[in-house]
Amino acid sequence: MKKCLIFFCILGVLFSGSVWAEDAKDQKKVAVLPFAVHSAEDINYVRDGIWDMLISRLSSSNEISVSTKQTVREALDKLDKKEISVADVYGFGKRLDIDYVVWGSITKIGNSISLDAKLLDVSTYKTPVDVFVQCQGMDDVIPSIGDFAKKINYYVLGQTPPAPQIAALPAPTAPTSSPAPVRPLQGPDEADVMKARRGTFTSVINPSFITDVNPLAKKGFWMSQKYRKTFKGMDIGDVNGDGLNEVVVIDEHSVMVYQKVNTDFKILNNVPGKDYSSYISVDVADVNGNGRDEIIVTNMQNGNLESFVLEFQDGNFIMIASSLRWFLRVVDISGVPRLLGQEKGMEEPFSNPIYEIVYSNGAYAEGTRMTIPEGLSVYGLAVDRLGEGGANRVIALDNFGHLCVYKETRESAYFKIHIIGGSDKLIWKSDEVFGGSNNSFDFGDILKTTEVPEKVFVKERVLTYDIDRNGQKEIIVVKNLSPVGRVMKNVRTFTSSVIYDLGWDGMGLAENWRTKKIQGYVADYQIKDIDNDGKDEVVLAVGLGAFLSRSVIVAYDLGGQ
């Protein structure tokens, strides 16, 4: 009997050991590096606390194996670097056969602590999850680290985060002298919806920036009939030479020209494209200088750019330029519309420099290289003065949706600016994310690869406009809201949106106002005169329904005009 019992005990140990070995084989391997510290004080206790917290939170899952601190220290000692780059982190992960590496930096200036944390997916050499916060003391750091650890778990394990419960946003009101603290919602990404007006290096918010009434709520709004189409882009201008503005809209492979007459929205022209085309963006501007706006469409076919330009001639829209190899976007630079172009990169779609596209000798061609950091996308970009006077600044959504303000430069690339420790070319970076797009294209030559092409999402517009007529431009930006956040690589689902007005307070962008939550996904938007009454409106192309299979055009009157 004893021999039998011993036999089964040994068998049990062997069986459990084999199961454990199989489980360990399937575990995702994660390494957490000690964060770099930038401070005149000794705050290593903060670094060690964050290090321990991340290891503890990530180790709580049986499906994740976290490297020991000793293993990480020994590997870093061999690296022998005080500051590590993304390439160093990637090399670290490859040498230790790690699937994911967590790293970042802590900066303390006075009582303010800034935390910049990232997760690198070693297999793709990308940082799909990051968090950037500025707070006062460790009490604010701890919740941010907890949310970051949750996002890491969701991504590493390929899980969908739970949908946060988001309450409808109230109409903005003037702040009282002692505003009550806002308790953030739990859950990834969408907790940022309720954040107030904080941003990197912005310590004081000027109450005079907060309007007592949202100017979009002063008057009613107009909405077109619903269309059984998925609108992908929209712009406004006089494209047929009749002296009145038209609305140009694109879906996957068609260009449609409408005009608002009183309450009606009439179709004037429909220019169908090829079934295998994938239209990405549309803009209107008179680039060739003949007094009539052209329709400028960025088009992707079989992984290659095949952009084109339409112009109204003899009663029809004809293609006056085709096979253009640029991503195209019209940007108002200090009030002057300029067409910008960016060639597709080899390894990253928007890695090449941005040029002004001019019309010369009967063709569209590259002109002057823009003073925009190399690696920024031509989409989600504005160039204008902020505040009173001063030089132009580049305002752009970064790769994770944070709104950033850069100095104009041709010398620095994006990856050199967004480094551990910061760069003097990055003036400001928002805590929360903006934009959010369902508009995407496949990156890579789909005819020459057996792999699934990478899906690239096109950033939303960033507009500058002096809404309150005080002589200073504000930033108008849309934030599309998702019930599942933005952690999934190739899937984006947005069901509602909010429009923000941000003003420069001398140190950063502060929120002037935001709209109530809009039911629907904003695919594109403009601030132009849609109804030819001599006054600009905020005009939105909105997708409705679970699959955005229906679309409408919505226009808000601007108060105070």
Side-chain angles (χ1 to χ4, degrees):
M1 182 69 181
K2 289 183 179 180
K3 290 182 180 180
C4 184
L5 180 61
I6 292 171
F7 171 77
F8 281 112
C9 288
I10 294 173
L11 184 63
V13 169
L14 292 174
F15 178 77
S16 63
S18 64
V19 171
W20 178 88
E22 187 63 30
D23 287 345
K25 182 179 178 182
D26 294 336
Q27 284 181 321
K28 298 294 184 181
K29 291 178 285 186
V30 178
V32 181
L33 309 187
F35 284 20
V37 173
H38 307 284
S39 174
E41 308 170 37
D42 182 2
I43 59 168
N44 287 338
Y45 70 94
V46 178
R47 177 200 63 193
D48 294 341
I50 291 174
W51 197 6
D52 290 336
M53 183 185 296
L54 280 172
I55 291 176
S56 173
R57 296 289 178 91
L58 296 175
S59 298
S60 63
S61 171
N62 294 329
E63 299 175 75
I64 296 178
S65 171
V66 183
S67 299
T68 65
K69 294 170 73 172
Q70 183 63 30
T71 300
V72 171
R73 284 196 186 100
E74 291 175 356
L76 289 177
D77 288 343
K78 293 179 182 179
L79 190 60
D80 193 26
K81 283 189 176 183
K82 293 183 179 180
E83 296 284 347
I84 57 175
S85 64
V86 177
D88 294 329
V89 175
Y90 172 75
F92 176 94
K94 295 295 286 186
R95 284 192 297 274
L96 269 66
D97 191 26
I98 298 295
D99 298 310
Y100 303 93
V101 181
V102 181
W103 89 108
S105 65
I106 310 162
T107 303
K108 189 174 188 296
I109 302 175
N111 293 324
S112 176
I113 297 176
S114 297
L115 176 72
D116 191 353
K118 302 181 187 301
L119 171 72
L120 179 73
D121 185 334
V122 177
S123 65
T124 63
Y125 198 7
K126 291 186 177 180
T127 54
V129 179
D130 78 331
V131 60
F132 190 99
V133 293
Q134 184 178 10
C135 43
Q136 301 295 322
M138 282 295 289
D139 288 344
D140 289 343
V141 171
I142 291 172
S144 300
I145 288 295
D147 288 343
F148 181 49
K150 289 179 183 177
K151 289 183 179 182
I152 291 174
N153 271 287
Y154 292 138
Y155 184 85
V156 170
L157 301 180
Q159 298 174 349
T160 301
Q165 300 298 314
I166 306 173
L169 298 179
T173 59
T176 62
S177 57
S178 299
V182 177
R183 182 179 180 183
L185 298 174
Q186 297 301 313
D189 251 8
E190 299 312 327
D192 292 340
V193 175
M194 298 301 294
K195 280 189 177 179
R197 296 167 290 279
R198 295 188 303 168
T200 309
F201 305 127
T202 302
S203 57
V204 179
I205 302 302
N206 184 353
S208 66
F209 274 84
I210 311 301
T211 56
D212 57 346
V213 180
N214 167 12
L216 301 192
K218 288 184 177 180
K219 298 181 181 180
F221 70 96
W222 166 86
M223 183 173 70
S224 73
Q225 62 267 39
K226 295 181 177 67
Y227 296 91
R228 292 185 177 275
K229 298 176 180 291
T230 301
F231 290 165
K232 297 185 66 176
M234 180 269 302
D235 202 354
I236 299 170
D238 181 10
V239 294
N240 61 10
D242 64 353
L244 300 174
N245 280 344
E246 289 79 39
V247 181
V248 181
V249 183
I250 58 169
D251 61 12
E252 186 70 17
H253 39 68
S254 297
V255 177
M256 294 150 283
V257 180
Y258 297 89
Q259 190 168 67
K260 184 179 184 297
V261 181
N262 298 320
T263 59
D264 294 333
F265 199 54
K266 299 181 178 180
I267 181 74
L268 302 183
N269 297 86
N270 184 8
V271 185
K274 299 174 181 177
D275 290 342
Y276 51 84
S277 295
S278 178
Y279 293 174
I280 296 171
S281 68
V282 63
D283 294 273
V284 301
D286 181 17
V287 180
N288 59 18
N290 66 355
R292 183 177 302 167
D293 288 339
E294 302 107 87
I295 298 175
I296 302 156
V297 178
T298 301
N299 174 36
M300 185 73 74
Q301 289 183 186
N302 298 327
N304 297 312
L305 280 167
E306 295 283 348
S307 301
F308 60 88
V309 179
L310 300 174
E311 188 171 73
F312 193 75
Q313 296 181 8
D314 300 325
N316 293 299
F317 286 97
I318 67 168
M319 192 174 293
I320 63 171
S322 60
S323 300
L324 303 178
R325 304 299 186 184
W326 302 296
F327 296 106
L328 297 168
R329 176 102 287 173
V330 172
V331 175
D332 275 7
I333 301 180
S334 297
V336 179
R338 297 167 73 176
L339 177 60
L340 307 185
Q342 184 176 31
E343 291 186 344
K344 188 180 75 168
M346 295 294 292
E347 297 183 0
E348 295 289 338
F350 301 110
S351 59
N352 284 324
I354 296 173
Y355 289 83
E356 181 175 8
I357 304 302
V358 298
Y359 192 77
S360 177
N361 298 321
Y364 295 87
E366 287 184 354
T368 304
R369 179 179 170 182
M370 303 300 294
T371 51
I372 295 172
E374 186 175 329
L376 284 180
S377 168
V378 73
Y379 302 109
L381 179 80
V383 181
D384 217 322
R385 291 182 176 86
L386 297 177
E388 296 182 4
N392 276 345
R393 300 303 185 194
V394 178
I395 307 102
L397 295 169
D398 70 9
N399 291 339
F400 305 100
H402 298 285
L403 192 62
C404 300
V405 179
Y406 304 90
K407 291 181 180 179
E408 286 191 303
T409 180
R410 294 191 187 99
E411 306 301 323
S412 296
Y414 175 88
F415 71 90
K416 293 182 179 179
I417 295 176
H418 288 264
I419 57 174
I420 297 175
S423 164
D424 64 346
K425 299 297 189 297
L426 177 60
I427 300 173
W428 184 86
K429 178 181 177 181
S430 69
D431 287 338
E432 60 183 302
V433 295
F434 296 94
S437 175
N438 280 328
N439 185 8
S440 66
F441 61 90
D442 292 331
F443 178 59
D445 193 335
I446 61 176
L447 298 180
K448 296 181 179 180
T449 180
T450 58
E451 299 178 359
V452 177
E454 177 186 353
K455 192 174 289 294
V456 177
F457 292 91
V458 178
K459 295 181 176 70
E460 295 271 357
R461 291 185 197 266
V462 175
L463 301 179
T464 59
Y465 197 91
D466 183 11
I467 286 183
D468 56 12
R469 304 297 181 184
N470 67 350
Q472 299 180 26
K473 294 288 187 68
E474 301 131 59
I475 305 299
I476 312 299
V477 62
V478 163
K479 179 173 184 175
N480 283 309
L481 308 178
S482 171
V484 296
R486 306 183 189 185
V487 297
M488 291 182 287
K489 183 177 180 181
N490 287 324
V491 179
R492 298 283 176 89
T493 302
F494 299 102
T495 56
S496 57
S497 52
V498 178
I499 303 170
Y500 286 77
D501 178 291
L502 308 174
W504 186 255
D505 68 357
M507 299 182 67
L509 289 173
E511 181 186 320
N512 292 337
W513 50 262
R514 70 176 82 170
T515 63
K516 290 184 179 181
K517 188 163 65 173
I518 300 166
Q519 295 303 319
Y521 156 75
V522 175
D524 204 354
Y525 62 109
Q526 270 292 3
I527 306 179
K528 293 184 178 180
D529 184 6
I530 187 177
D531 54 8
N532 297 291
D533 65 350
K535 299 177 181 180
D536 290 340
E537 291 81 27
V538 176
V539 185
L540 313 176
V542 180
L544 305 172
F547 300 100
L548 307 178
S549 56
R550 294 189 180 185
S551 301
V552 297
I553 301 295
V554 175
Y556 291 85
D557 288 334
L558 282 174
Q561 286 192 348

